[in-house]
Amino acid sequence: MCDTSNITVGTIVMVKVGRNEIEVVVTEITANGWKVKKVGSDREFIVTRIERVIAEPGAPEAASATEPETEAVDAEIPSEAEEEVDTPNPAPESGGSPEKKLSLLNAALLVLKRSRTPLNTKEILAQVIEEGLWSPNGAKTPEQSLYSAFFREIKEKETPRVRKSAARRGAFEFNS
């Protein structure tokens, strides 16, 4: 705790909020403590205890902490910041948006669409990874996840993109 008798409005002090010490500016002196404003934000609150004084009002540190310094700039010579504001942003490259990664289900559907024969989920997953359409994300059972996704699609969609194969047990075909 510090000597609080010389604290006036505008003094920059450190206060404890929970376990954290934060830098604040005294905005008002009340009967029970001080109304303070956090430096760098508009958050105001009342404190009853001040840890230490950082800067007295009128000191150079106090002025720099409460409001940012503005430099006088010649009207003829713009500063670097003004030049950046005046120059328009260049148009993005005409290559289009960055390539979006396919989900495992969409990548599997692409493989099934190209395939002429029914495939099971292990075969589909191997081809998806081989063609670079999807990369493993650390899941332990991507084959089972794909199997579940196929059955969800068959059950929930009116016109599913995939169907169970009648020719081969445990395999799927693209529903064209």
Side-chain angles (χ1 to χ4, degrees):
M1 213 121 137
C2 68
D3 179 30
T4 59
S5 60
N6 60 349
I7 295 176
T8 60
V9 174
T11 305
I12 299 174
V13 295
M14 290 296 280
V15 297
K16 210 164 198 172
V17 177
R19 292 185 291 174
N20 302 320
E21 282 191 358
I22 59 171
E23 192 173 323
V24 295
V25 177
V26 176
T27 58
E28 184 181 328
I29 300 172
T30 64
N32 299 332
W34 299 270
K35 187 173 185 181
V36 295
K37 178 180 171 188
K38 184 177 177 185
V39 173
S41 76
D42 293 333
R43 184 142 179 125
E44 289 187 334
F45 47 95
I46 296 176
V47 295
T48 56
R49 194 169 122 187
I50 292 178
E51 296 296 314
R52 64 182 178 275
V53 176
I54 295 178
E56 298 289 328
E61 297 111 32
S64 67
T66 55
E67 39 184 85
E69 293 182 19
T70 55
E71 296 179 9
V73 178
D74 236 349
E76 297 171 28
I77 306 170
S79 69
E80 289 179 24
E82 287 176 350
E83 287 177 9
E84 289 177 14
V85 172
D86 291 342
T87 58
N89 289 340
E93 296 297 319
S94 59
S97 63
E99 197 171 313
K100 203 173 180 184
K101 288 181 118 181
L102 288 175
S103 68
L104 177 57
L105 177 62
N106 289 334
L109 288 169
L110 279 175
V111 167
L112 279 177
K113 193 179 215 181
R114 294 183 203 147
S115 174
R116 297 175 192 264
T117 61
L119 300 171
N120 67 26
T121 55
K122 283 188 178 186
E123 295 166 339
I124 294 170
L125 187 65
Q127 284 189 18
V128 162
I129 293 170
E130 182 182 307
E131 293 176 19
L133 298 172
W134 179 80
S135 58
N137 57 4
K140 293 180 182 177
T141 57
E143 298 93 6
Q144 291 177 353
S145 299
L146 182 59
Y147 190 82
S148 297
F150 282 159
F151 274 103
R152 265 194 314 275
E153 173 122 356
I154 291 168
K155 181 181 178 184
E156 295 173 1
K157 297 228 177 169
E158 193 172 312
T159 56
R161 299 172 286 179
V162 66
R163 67 175 177 234
K164 290 183 356 180
S165 172
R168 183 174 167 206
R169 184 176 174 174
F172 297 93
E173 302 173 327
F174 189 76
N175 194 8
S176 48

